[in-house]
Amino acid sequence: MSAALNPTLEPIYEEVLRRNAGETEFHQAVREVLDSLGAVIARHPEYADARVIERICEPERQIIFRVPWVDDAGTVQINRGFRVEFNSALGPFKGGLRFHPSVYLGIIKFLGFEQVFKNALTGLPIGGGKGGSDFDPKGRSDLEIMRFCQSFMNELYRHLGEYTDVPAGDIGVGGREIGYLFGQYKRITNRYESGVLTGKGLGWGGSQVRKEATGYGTVYFVDEMLRGNGHSFDGSKVIVSGSGNVAIYAIEKVHELGGTVIACSDSSGYVVEETGIDLNLLKEVKEVRRGRISEYAELRGSSARYATEGSIWQVPCDVALPSATQNEINAEDAQFLVKGGCRAVGEGANMPTTPEAVKVLTDAGVLFAPGKAANAGGVATSALEMQQNASRDSWTFDYTEQRLAEIMRSIYDRCAETADAYGTPGNLVLGANASAFIQVADAMLALGVV
Ligand code: NDP
């Protein structure tokens, strides 16, 4: 575990534990930020005096609701829906929806808390929130997905609006689900309010590059970090965990920059292919057939090895991009990465590396890019989608990608400069947390006690 907290922060953390009992992922996310804030409040006692940290740790609003729907067999199903509107000091609440059986309040609160800081780092006018449901989309027909999304929106719509709260996708929520959600919002409100959801289809208000943005953005960020330390993706062996939206487009950008992605995964197993993952086939299996990574391995034949034992992190690599889910790299996995010669880890997913694993990596000198900075390209491009919707315009792929690349470079510079300013060069965790916190805290001070 990390070192003791600053004496001003310790009681704040104790109170977070007491008020949010059992929400372990939320505790972990808060602790990671508080670990970075000791130096900040030493320089800026005004934040502690105005109790800004306590306020930042308490969501502005938490909504929990029943989502009843009827499956194809005619059976009534009941799920639980969530939307945590965490902080709107910088703009409307903004953050994705996750549909996964592991979802409960603690997961949504950890994601919403992270989102507040991530969104600040983009430099764009967006607050932070997150939502979702314990609904499991796996194995459900299109019509079941549609009925679920409609029922979910029947409650959620009253809390949304382009100036209020703007959801997007996350695990289990892609273009298909955003379409059904937007359709139901449009029907209930009788308004074509494009800016109320992002991740829309290109023909009906979506932005070029949104689908690719989180994966591409992560790779841009890690590329900056590698170059800042005399390395690059060119010629490197890379592991990308997961095979969903973030993973697929991270793989695409790594290949464009001259690296080779030699392994990826899903929750059933992982595939290793030393000559490089065949991205076209992976997209066909995952995006079109909605199949498993084992099917990809079967179609590739002897060039690919599929494994369900051990861990993807046991495969030696130069760069690791965890892009599946939270806490997927533990201390033991981190030791494998160090032993295998890994020189950089960039978080495509939210909080995929446990605190113990971060310590193993950074103690060994592995460069580390925290998710709230490295994977901010998705929400940044969502904010660009909102800009296009507001001006009833649509930009080209090249222009939008150029904006994304500039944003990722500026996030990297901001984190690196803040780390330097606090006397911890290269510590991008501290750089990201301190820089984002100061921006949100200053806005909260300016807006008064609200
Ligand atoms: P998807 O649902 O598209 O893909 C998730 C992928 O991760 C799937 O391949 C899934 O496999 C796999 N996965 C889930 N759990 C595990 C596990 N325990 N072990 C191995 N693989 C697993 O989600 P996204 O790609 O959108 O999101 C991935 C991560 O990135 C999440 O942490 C999300 O919060 C974060 N993120 C996403 C953004 C976005 O724009 N989409 C923006 C910023 C962060 P299976 O199919 O078997 O479940």
Side-chain angles (χ1 to χ4, degrees), residues 98-100 110-111 115 118 130 138 169-173 210-211 213-215 241-248 265-269 286 291-292 322-326 328 348-352 371 375-379:
R98 175 176 291 190
F99 293 168
H100 192 273
F110 120 63
L111 290 164
Q115 197 82 44
K118 178 188 309 194
K130 199 82 186 189
K138 267 201 205 90
D170 189 79
I171 291 180
V173 179
R210 176 60 189 91
K211 185 174 63 167
T214 309
S241 63
S243 50
N245 173 261
V246 178
I248 284 176
S265 61
D266 60 22
S267 58
S268 313
K286 284 289 171 180
R292 311 299 300 157
S323 304
T325 194
Q326 64 275 356
E328 54 169 313
N350 284 313
M351 211 169 72
N375 71 36
V379 75

